[in-house]
Amino acid sequence: MPIVVDIDVMLAKRKMSVGELADRVGITPANLAVLKNGRAKAVRFTTLDALCEALECQPGDLLRWEADEDRERS
């Protein structure tokens, strides 16, 4: 998928655990892991807002686009 989730990067910068972030955001650690590992198909803006508030960052610090090699070959 061309959208890459960089929550790990922000967690490391903030020296915060997945469990602590999940508590601050109000989601389960399992759901946060799905998002963190790039397996989520969607993210609610309210969740993105809560992540940005908890990590003191911008949405662009958490999400980025990369070209999909399969699409480029088509």
Side-chain angles (χ1 to χ4, degrees):
M1 178 184 285
I3 300 297
V4 178
V5 181
D6 286 326
I7 290 175
D8 281 341
V9 173
M10 292 308 297
L11 282 171
K13 286 182 179 179
R14 302 297 187 251
K15 297 181 178 154
M16 189 182 300
S17 70
V18 172
E20 182 181 350
L21 180 59
D23 285 344
R24 289 185 183 195
V25 173
I27 62 176
T28 66
N31 283 341
L32 182 56
V34 167
L35 179 59
K36 182 175 77 77
N37 296 323
R39 295 189 316 263
K41 297 294 180 193
V43 61
R44 292 182 178 175
F45 280 163
T46 53
T47 302
L48 185 58
D49 175 55
L51 287 166
C52 289
E53 183 176 353
L55 293 167
E56 298 178 355
C57 67
Q58 295 295 313
D61 296 325
L62 301 177
L63 303 172
R64 63 187 161 86
W65 180 84
E66 285 187 357
D68 187 353
E69 292 179 18
D70 291 337
R71 280 193 210 167
E72 290 179 1
R73 286 185 248 160
S74 299

